[in-house]
Amino acid sequence: MTSPLFDPAAFTGKVAFVSGAASGIGASTALRLADLGAKLVLADRDGDRLAGFAATLSSDDVLPLELDVTSFAGVEAAVAQGVEHFGGLDLAVNSAGIDLPRCETAQYPAEQWDRIIAVNLTGVFNAVRHQIPAMLKRGGGSIVNVASIMGFRGFAGQPAYTAAKHGVLGFTKAAALDHAGQGIRINAVAPGFIDTPLLGHLSDEKRQAAAALHPMQRVGQADEITNVILFLLSDAASFVTGACFEADGGYLAK
C-alpha cells in the first residue's frame, strides 16, 4: 500500500493562522486543517460570514477574528490574540486578497491601486511580520503565502494585481532567506484561475474564456490548491523554503 505524501496526524494539535478564511482557498484550507485536528485562528474582514463558516467546522478549537489585513496593528493584535488563546503558533496561510474591476494603466484609479496593493501585498507583509516572531518562540514553523500566476506574467487591465502578486513572490523569497536558519519555512503557491468568489462576477462566456487559458481546459477548484498548501505546511516539505509551487492547470508552461 502506498503511504500518504504527509502524515495527516502531524497536524493534530498544531496552531494555524489562516487569513481570508471566510471563503475560497482560505475556507477550503481551514476546513481541511480542522478535519486534520489543527487548532485554528481564522481571520477575515467579513466577520459575519467568518462566524457562520467557523460554526460549520468539525473542530471546537477555532478562534474567528474579524480582521482587516491592511492594518499593521490589527494583524499584530490578531496574531497575539491567537497565541494567547492557543499557546503559540506553528502554521500560517496568508490567503486574504481582493480583485477590482479591470482598467488599463493610463486610466487606472490611484485609490484602486492603493487598495489592491494594501490588501494583496502589504497585508501579506503585515501577517508574516507578526507570524514569524510567534513561531520562533515555538522553535520554528511554516508559512504559505497565496500568490498567483500573475506573479509570473503580466495581465492586461490588471496592473495593481499583477504588481502585488509579483511582490508577494519577491517578499516570500526574501523573508525565507532571512529566517531559513531559524526553523521557519516560507513558501508560496501560485494558483491559476480558481472557482472562488473572486470569479463570481464573470459571465458564463468569460468563465469559459478563463478556462480556455489553461491547457487543462478548465478552472481549478479551491481544494486542489489546498492540497498543495498542506504539503508545503507539512514536514514532507522540510527542505522546501523560498519556493513557489505553481498550481495552474499548465498555464505557466505555455
Side-chain angles (χ1 to χ4, degrees):
M1 183 174 67
T2 303
S3 62
L5 182 60
F6 59 84
D7 179 7
F11 289 100
T12 302
K14 294 290 183 71
V15 181
F17 185 104
V18 182
S19 71
S23 63
I25 293 169
S28 171
T29 302
L31 178 62
R32 291 281 296 280
L33 286 170
D35 289 344
L36 291 168
K39 300 176 181 180
L40 298 176
V41 183
L42 303 183
D44 200 281
R45 62 178 176 164
D46 189 337
D48 291 340
R49 187 172 187 176
L50 179 65
F53 169 69
T56 69
L57 297 177
S58 59
S59 173
D60 293 328
D61 290 323
V62 178
L63 177 64
L65 300 174
E66 185 172 346
L67 175 66
D68 181 351
V69 296
T70 68
S71 169
F72 186 83
V75 175
E76 181 180 24
V79 172
Q81 190 172 345
V83 169
E84 180 179 3
H85 189 81
F86 289 121
L89 182 65
D90 305 294
L91 310 169
V93 179
N94 299 310
S95 66
I98 61 170
D99 191 12
L100 294 172
R102 295 181 186 177
C103 181
E104 65 180 29
T105 303
Q107 283 79 43
Y108 205 83
E111 61 274 14
Q112 184 164 313
W113 172 276
D114 290 344
R115 180 61 180 163
I116 287 183
I117 296 297
V119 175
N120 293 2
L121 179 54
T122 304
V124 174
F125 163 75
N126 290 342
V128 173
R129 166 63 179 79
H130 296 299
Q131 290 158 358
I132 289 172
M135 290 180 178
L136 288 174
K137 293 178 181 178
R138 301 273 264 197
S142 180
I143 299 171
V144 178
N145 299 322
V146 177
S148 167
I149 53 174
M150 292 187 204
F152 293 93
R153 301 281 176 83
F155 206 88
Q158 296 275 29
Y161 193 91
T162 300
K165 293 303 184 179
H166 273 70
V168 168
L169 294 184
F171 169 69
T172 297
K173 293 176 183 179
L177 292 174
D178 281 338
H179 300 282
Q182 297 174 294
I184 305 289
R185 295 187 301 102
I186 306 173
N187 294 290
V189 60
F193 288 86
I194 306 300
D195 190 12
T196 71
L198 283 181
L199 295 188
H201 66 285
L202 295 182
S203 65
D204 288 343
E205 181 180 1
K206 288 185 177 180
R207 285 178 64 88
Q208 291 173 5
L213 294 173
H214 305 76
M216 293 181 73
Q217 295 295 300
R218 65 177 178 86
V219 298
Q221 299 300 311
D223 282 352
E224 294 178 298
I225 309 306
T226 291
N227 289 335
V228 179
I229 291 171
L230 290 178
F231 164 70
L232 291 171
L233 289 177
S234 77
D235 290 341
S238 59
F239 200 53
V240 180
T241 197
C244 181
F245 277 48
E246 302 158 16
D248 62 358
Y251 183 101
L252 292 172
K254 295 184 293 181

